[in-house]
Amino acid sequence: MDHSTRHTAAGHGHASWAMAVKATLHCLTGCAIGEILGMVIGTALLWGNVPTMILAIALAFVFGYSLTLFAVVRAGLSPRAAIKVALAADTVSIAVMELVDNAIVALTPGAMDAHLSDGLFWSALLGGFAVAFAVTTPVNKWMIGRGRGHAVVHAHH
């Protein structure tokens, strides 16, 4: 096996857009579940914008990491090793996704004061997810191409 083949086999080198899109969709799924749940809980408890947003972001990380944890534990990793893989695979992706998504929501006039039953709330949130997906996909492609991010997960599948 030559050097370039070893690099590609180890997750370094070429990363396809399809791989990056799949990794970003994985991240988006966890982020969306956590954010929506956090918004629903915060709204139901009549919390203000800041505590609700903090809860939503925290739950986005919890659900994002959980999706990876379940997959790599099912693939045979110990829970301790799975946590390390999830942190390595998802932290940057989730952080970028959350930064962009929450910035879009915060910068959309009226979105922070909209209720769950308002179209503005959902359009700002879904628009934020769409922009975050577009920004995070090239980040994931770059990371996978360097053997980081979701390349770490693929090494354990």
Side-chain angles (χ1 to χ4, degrees):
M1 186 185 299
D2 68 15
H3 178 73
S4 64
T5 306
R6 276 195 314 269
H7 243 231
T8 303
H12 295 58
H14 177 72
S16 70
W17 281 105
M19 231 180 185
V21 165
K22 185 176 178 182
T24 307
L25 284 172
H26 171 91
C27 175
L28 178 63
T29 301
C31 288
I33 293 168
E35 280 217 29
I36 292 169
L37 184 60
M39 297 289 184
V40 169
I41 292 169
T43 300
L45 296 176
L46 303 175
W47 288 0
N49 290 335
V50 173
T52 298
M53 190 174 271
I54 291 169
L55 176 63
I57 292 168
L59 289 176
F61 274 91
V62 167
F63 280 92
Y65 288 140
S66 294
L67 293 177
T68 298
L69 281 170
F70 294 138
V72 295
V73 166
R74 195 171 46 240
L77 258 62
S78 71
R80 183 181 180 104
I83 289 169
K84 290 178 182 179
V85 168
L87 290 172
D90 295 330
T91 300
V92 172
S93 183
I94 296 171
V96 171
M97 179 111 10
E98 287 302 299
L99 177 68
V100 173
D101 174 53
N102 284 285
I104 298 293
V105 172
L107 295 173
T108 300
M112 293 298 292
D113 297 318
H115 296 280
L116 294 174
S117 60
D118 292 339
L120 177 60
F121 168 81
W122 292 103
S123 63
L125 185 63
L126 296 176
F129 285 146
V131 173
F133 179 84
V135 171
T136 307
T137 300
V139 171
N140 281 331
K141 185 178 186 309
W142 182 83
M143 289 177 50
I144 293 166
R146 279 145 190 79
R148 302 180 196 280
H150 271 260
V152 176
V153 173
H154 293 289
H156 297 285
H157 274 259

